[in-house]
Amino acid sequence: MTLNLIKLCVGCESLEDMMQHVARVKARRAASGLPDEYVHTTRMTPKRSADLLAGGSLYWVIRGNIQCRQRLLEIRPVTDANGVGRCELALETVLVPTYWQPKRAFQGWRYLKGNETPKDLAGGEPGLSAVPPELRLELAELGLL
């Protein structure tokens, strides 16, 4: 069974915000000659790295709903400028939208088993991409998405 991570996306109000943020980071990295990846730094390093890297993703919770995922490429333990141990999660720059799944707030990241993940939106479900984010949020809160 595939193992994934789940994390709150702080600072983005919508999936579209997150996509724009990742695009800006990707452009900055390309201009600097860095690899085509999105790196997210966390405090703790997952103990089950091998399981996560065998096809796992990082699922993002945006405004109380899992809304997308990014495939995990690498997990790198690092030390910051203050000598504190951190973890870099190297992710694909492609965000894969998922069906929304409500999720309460939590700190840090959590493991998410493959049978607990929302399904991917296969190329954008008919009409769903045309629904404004505010309406999608309201529909999700009502349990209709």
Side-chain angles (χ1 to χ4, degrees):
M1 179 182 308
T2 304
L3 188 63
N4 305 283
L5 292 176
I6 184 170
K7 184 151 181 42
L8 299 181
C9 181
V10 179
C12 292
E13 291 295 313
S14 67
L15 175 58
E16 291 74 16
D17 282 353
M18 178 76 174
M19 288 177 164
Q20 290 172 1
H21 171 70
V22 171
R24 284 191 303 269
V25 170
K26 180 178 179 172
R28 234 183 355 254
R29 288 180 65 84
S32 300
L34 296 170
D36 185 24
E37 62 186 19
Y38 177 81
V39 178
H40 182 77
T41 304
T42 67
R43 192 167 60 91
M44 303 299 291
T45 301
K47 303 276 188 261
R48 299 175 64 187
S49 295
D51 295 332
L52 291 166
L53 295 174
S57 293
L58 174 61
Y59 283 79
W60 289 104
V61 177
I62 303 171
R63 293 204 56 195
N65 289 284
I66 299 173
Q67 294 188 27
C68 62
R69 68 178 179 86
Q70 288 178 283
R71 192 170 67 82
L72 283 160
L73 300 174
E74 192 176 352
I75 298 172
R76 304 179 201 129
V78 296
T79 304
D80 70 11
N82 297 324
V84 178
R86 303 279 184 216
C87 176
E88 289 182 348
L89 302 174
L91 307 161
E92 279 188 341
T93 55
V94 175
L95 286 166
V96 179
T98 64
Y99 281 96
W100 286 19
Q101 181 175 308
K103 191 70 177 173
R104 289 186 172 190
F106 56 92
Q107 289 187 330
W109 53 261
R110 301 283 185 265
Y111 290 115
L112 186 67
K113 295 177 186 165
N115 62 346
E116 299 171 340
T117 61
K119 291 183 182 178
D120 292 348
L121 284 174
E125 299 302 315
L128 191 57
S129 59
V131 177
E134 302 82 29
L135 183 55
R136 277 186 278 173
L137 179 61
E138 191 171 335
L139 291 171
E141 287 171 351
L142 293 170
L144 299 173
L145 266 186

